Amino acid sequence: MDYFNKDNISELYPEAEDMMLPAMLIWKLPAGKEDKLSEVCENGEYFLEEKIDGAFYQFVKTQNYSYLFGRTVSRKTGLLTEKGANVPHIMGALSSIPADTVIVGEIYVPGGTSKDVVSIMGCLSEKAIARQKDNPIHFYLHDITFYNGEDVTALGAEDRYDLLHKLWDECGLAQYGFLRLAEKVTENLEQTISDILARGGEGAVLKKKDAPYTPDKRPAWSTVKIKQMDSIDLVCMGFCPPTKEYTGKEIETWTYWVKTTDDPEFGEVEELSMSCKYGEEGWQPVTKYYAFNQYSAIKIGAYDNNGTLVELGTVSSGLTDEMKQSMSENPIFYLGMVVSLDCMSIDKGSKTLRHPVFKAWRGDKNPEDCKISEVFA
């Protein structure tokens, strides 16, 4: 299918006639289908990539030229806008990839937003380069549509990603700090989404492993965009004790260890060590919060129609070490206080919260105003 006038492409962007493609559009769960997210994350048919707050661009390498096309169509030419001159560092870094290859990604400003991208990519090249003097713009690579002369849009998303990863390694692109390859996540997808959103990330895209690249289309369930969280207010009902056993991967260098001994006066007691005891008999690794006797999470709830406070779950994500220490030392101060949360989703049918994240304490709101009927309305 021809998306643009090939004669115009040939005149303005020689050798790119077959490789100028509109962006594939990303689908999102429609209203009322939010409860399907867990199923999508758990059925094994998808992988995840983090979503970056930037602007879509595709790098096109032909036999003799290199181009960087955006997603917008120029009113003057009827073709995709070309902005390679604005980012010579990126164009130079990608010059080593095979000819007749197209890499799809996001141009972004680290720590910035899409508005910051526009301030650079939306102006003339001379000014764009000057604005990047101290902070060069970055390119986040997440897909590929042509490879070494072969159209790979019909391949599944996972096969395309693996091909992109191969290209990344073979061309040594990791040496450039302003290039970033999307990470393919295949396990714990829902928790990964929650973690991304909890740290203020833009979101995530779930890609169906066997889905082809479909330019200018938004096929349902081929890609699923997760961008925002639902905000709610609930009541602090109590606290969760810390988990004791440490099960992490850093056991050979872990700091917190306990050893149980029999004391003639006090009976069985635990001795805490703040240095690694790996391999020493009798010593057991414990979590940091167990070592410091800190609460690990908040029990949260809301009032039913009878005025009874009902527990709805717990929240630990977003709580800082300082907050956990304060709650452990002064639990009475926090009990009954309203806590503001973000949730990846709210299941109205089962009345459950998926991956809540602590935002702030709300001393300005009465706990009685937190009602189940409103949370799951």
Side-chain angles (χ1 to χ4, degrees), residues 46-49 157-158 161 184-186 205-207 209:
Y46 291 79
F47 68 93
L48 177 149
E49 292 176 349
E158 187 170 40
Y161 177 87
K184 181 178 71 171
V185 180
T186 57
V205 175
L206 296 165
K207 293 186 175 181
K209 294 178 180 179

Side-chain angles (χ1 to χ4, degrees), residues 155-338:
L155 293 180
E158 187 170 40
D159 289 337
R160 295 197 312 276
Y161 177 87
D162 293 343
L163 190 60
L164 176 62
H165 199 296
K166 175 186 175 184
L167 183 70
W168 174 270
D169 290 338
E170 291 181 346
C171 296
L173 299 181
Q175 66 180 295
Y176 302 103
F178 48 80
L179 298 182
R180 176 182 170 189
L181 176 66
E183 179 185 358
K184 181 178 71 171
V185 180
T186 57
E187 298 180 351
N188 302 318
L189 303 187
E190 196 166 1
Q191 182 60 55
T192 300
I193 296 171
S194 178
D195 294 342
I196 291 171
L197 295 174
R199 60 174 164 78
E202 168 73 2
V205 175
L206 296 165
K207 293 186 175 181
K208 203 166 188 293
K209 294 178 180 179
D210 62 357
Y213 189 94
T214 53
D216 206 30
K217 294 183 180 179
R218 200 191 308 271
W221 304 106
S222 288
T223 59
V224 182
K225 176 172 59 178
I226 310 296
K227 281 194 63 175
Q228 61 185 18
M229 304 182 90
D230 295 315
S231 296
I232 57 172
D233 293 331
L234 294 176
V235 182
C236 172
M237 298 182 62
F239 309 93
C240 300
T243 300
K244 180 178 180 179
E245 182 181 4
Y246 172 75
T247 58
K249 299 179 180 180
E250 303 174 5
I251 188 169
E252 295 185 13
T253 57
W254 190 242
T255 303
Y256 310 104
W257 297 75
V258 297
K259 184 177 184 179
T260 303
T261 58
D262 290 322
D263 185 276
E265 183 177 355
F266 299 102
E268 191 175 88
V269 296
E270 278 188 344
E271 177 185 354
L272 173 66
S273 172
M274 301 288 284
S275 61
C276 181
K277 297 292 184 180
Y278 179 71
E280 295 189 30
E281 185 178 355
W283 288 96
Q284 174 189 1
V286 296
T287 65
K288 175 182 177 180
Y289 301 115
Y290 183 86
F292 288 109
N293 194 30
Q294 293 180 358
Y295 292 130
S296 61
I298 302 171
K299 297 179 181 179
I300 48 178
Y303 286 89
D304 63 15
N305 292 334
N306 297 320
T308 302
L309 187 57
V310 178
E311 185 174 338
L312 297 175
T314 64
V315 58
S316 58
S317 295
L319 293 172
T320 64
D321 289 347
E322 292 76 12
M323 182 61 67
K324 291 178 179 179
Q325 182 67 29
S326 179
M327 292 188 308
S328 302
E329 294 176 351
N330 306 287
I332 298 300
F333 177 80
Y334 296 97
L335 276 173
M337 187 178 291
V338 175

Side-chain angles (χ1 to χ4, degrees), residues 351-377:
K351 290 185 170 52
T352 55
L353 311 173
R354 289 196 176 92
H355 302 291
V357 178
F358 173 87
K359 286 181 60 181
W361 296 102
R362 291 203 57 181
D364 61 331
K365 185 170 182 177
N366 296 318
E368 293 79 12
D369 293 335
C370 300
K371 300 177 180 180
I372 294 177
S373 59
E374 296 179 2
V375 172
F376 300 105

Side-chain angles (χ1 to χ4, degrees), residues 26 34 36 42 44 74 76 95 102 107 112 116 139 175 182 215 218 227 256 269 296 329:
I26 304 177
E34 294 86 356
K36 297 293 184 181
E42 296 170 5
S74 168
K76 182 178 180 180
S95 64
V102 179
I107 294 290
D116 299 306
F139 194 28
Q175 66 180 295
R218 200 191 308 271
K227 281 194 63 175
Y256 310 104
V269 296
S296 61
E329 294 176 351

